Amino acid sequence: MTSATPRPASDYPPGGDAFRHRDLTGIAQLAPWEISYILDAAEQWVELNRSGAAKHDDALKGLTIINAFFENSTRTLLSFEIAGKRLGADVVNMHAAQSSVKKGETLIDTAMTLNAMRADAIVIRHSASGAVQLIADKVDCPVLNAGDGRHEHPTQALLDALTIRRRKGKVEGLTVAICGDVLHSRVARSNILALTLLGNDVRVVAPPTLIPPALDRMHAVPFTDMDEGLKGADVVMMLRLQNERMDGAYLPSAREYHALYALTPQRLEKAKPDAIVMHPGPMNRGVEIDSSIADDPVRSTITEQVEMGVAVRMACLDILTRRKRGVPGWN
């Protein structure tokens, strides 16, 4: 294989060369085989979590993980906490409302404080784009991005990719429609990066005001007509309207948005008969998705995504701490 030939996503190098990064701050930093490596690693944790007998592993025994969440979260925080504990780590949650940031401490001072605590890995969620990378540059341990502003949410994209692969039998060569508030969504950004990198046809379906201006550089095709965007889709990924990030200038009303862009049973018929429906949560039922679809046990993968999130985050914590733990081949 010459240097000009891209390595297939299913073919990754041995040992630590399979994932060379100290941190996981975004999908943009990853090669296709690194994504596949994480997904393959997550499979074992899916089986462990489903075993019912022993939902615990001592891979991270003696290590301390800090979940530093400067932005509110339920699913992501619980998922990382469960992931760390199932690997045997000591997990400490730091909530923004209880932190010195509320007292005026700068982000760099907070990073230095976290570093002085000698954690073995830090998971960070922050409302400002780039905040996670800033902290990662200041600390001596691996940092995982649990969502930063409009930038990225890499583990969400990874868990979505794992869900697609398990449901469709592959995560390449598919048509994926990402629908809704793409402009404000770090989930959408990370998914577009991951799914295009893995060789999928990615469409973005949204009102013109909610389509990112730089979409043409992300190899995704924009649609402003929901029915057209869903035609022939293998995967329909709905997004929450992030009203907290809007000033009222993006949409006339929730009722009009539902009429034009909500996923209804009639609209889902435009996609392939075996298309799956995804949503990162939390959902606005009756706004971007009808309850009959969200609760459909055959088409909806929403609860499965939550399950895959724990396994993917276990894989990420395991992989990023292997050098610290002296795992053979990870020098």
Side-chain angles (χ1 to χ4, degrees):
M1 183 178 293
T2 67
S3 58
T5 304
R7 182 187 293 273
S10 59
D11 177 21
Y12 38 78
D17 288 339
F19 195 88
R20 291 178 167 272
H21 313 280
R22 189 199 71 167
D23 308 306
L24 178 57
T25 57
I27 296 295
Q29 74 188 88
L30 303 181
W33 71 84
E34 291 175 315
I35 295 176
S36 293
Y37 184 77
I38 294 173
L39 301 186
D40 289 348
E43 290 285 0
Q44 65 172 312
W45 303 121
V46 174
E47 298 309 315
L48 174 74
N49 293 336
R50 287 183 172 182
S51 66
K55 291 188 176 181
H56 191 279
D57 189 277
D58 290 331
L60 270 60
K61 184 177 181 180
L63 271 60
T64 300
I65 310 297
I66 295 178
N67 292 328
F69 277 52
F70 301 94
E71 186 180 54
N72 289 333
S73 166
T74 299
R75 291 166 178 77
T76 305
L77 177 60
L78 285 175
S79 184
F80 269 111
E81 182 176 9
I82 292 170
K85 288 182 175 178
R86 286 190 179 164
L87 290 169
D90 295 320
V91 180
V92 179
N93 292 334
M94 189 194 85
H95 300 276
Q98 303 165 356
S99 74
S100 294
V101 174
K102 291 290 185 180
K103 303 173 185 177
E105 182 173 273
T106 68
L107 193 58
I108 292 178
D109 286 338
T110 299
M112 294 174 65
T113 299
L114 292 172
N115 195 49
M117 293 177 183
R118 304 297 178 190
D120 298 293
I122 303 175
V123 180
I124 300 171
R125 186 181 184 94
H126 202 283
S127 61
S129 300
V132 174
Q133 187 61 58
L134 187 149
I135 293 177
D137 291 340
K138 299 292 181 181
V139 301
D140 300 322
C141 66
V143 168
L144 286 84
N145 185 356
D148 64 325
R150 298 187 193 180
H151 177 228
E152 280 216 48
H153 195 347
T155 58
Q156 180 69 46
L158 292 168
L159 72 89
D160 288 342
L162 182 60
T163 303
I164 293 170
R165 191 172 78 169
R166 290 176 66 91
R167 276 293 193 103
K168 307 300 290 185
K170 61 180 182 177
V171 68
E172 64 279 331
L174 300 171
T175 298
V176 182
I178 301 177
C179 313
D181 186 0
V182 180
L183 179 67
H184 300 100
S185 177
R186 57 198 176 201
V187 170
R189 178 176 173 81
S190 286
N191 265 298
I192 292 169
L193 291 169
L195 293 171
T196 55
L197 201 58
L198 293 173
N200 295 283
D201 171 19
V202 178
R203 304 172 181 175
V204 163
V205 187
T209 53
L210 294 179
I211 293 179
L215 188 66
D216 58 333
R217 297 201 298 268
M218 300 178 70
H219 309 292
V221 180
F223 287 81
T224 56
D225 183 286
M226 186 75 165
D227 290 344
E228 286 297 318
L230 293 183
K231 280 185 180 178
D234 298 286
V235 178
V236 180
M237 185 180 297
M238 302 305 297
L239 300 172
R240 178 178 67 88
L241 271 181
Q242 298 191 38
N243 295 310
E244 70 277 11
R245 299 183 191 272
M246 300 184 193
D247 57 10
Y250 294 93
L251 297 170
S253 69
R255 177 179 294 182
E256 183 172 341
Y257 181 83
H258 180 271
L260 295 174
Y261 292 100
L263 186 62
T264 62
Q266 294 74 25
R267 284 216 170 95
L268 186 55
E269 291 179 0
K270 303 292 182 182
K272 289 184 179 177
D274 63 345
I276 59 173
V277 176
M278 311 183 77
H279 196 301
M283 290 181 286
N284 292 312
R285 291 173 179 264
V287 178
E288 74 262 3
I289 187 169
D290 283 7
S291 289
S292 61
I293 296 176
D295 299 330
D296 186 327
V298 176
R299 308 293 289 274
S300 174
T301 69
I302 294 169
T303 57
E304 188 177 345
Q305 288 171 264
V306 176
E307 180 189 8
M308 294 305 109
V310 176
V312 160
R313 284 153 185 153
M314 290 175 75
C316 292
L317 288 169
D318 173 28
I319 291 169
L320 290 181
T321 58
R322 286 180 184 175
R323 290 183 176 87
K324 169 79 174 182
R325 292 181 282 129
V327 174
W330 288 75
N331 299 326

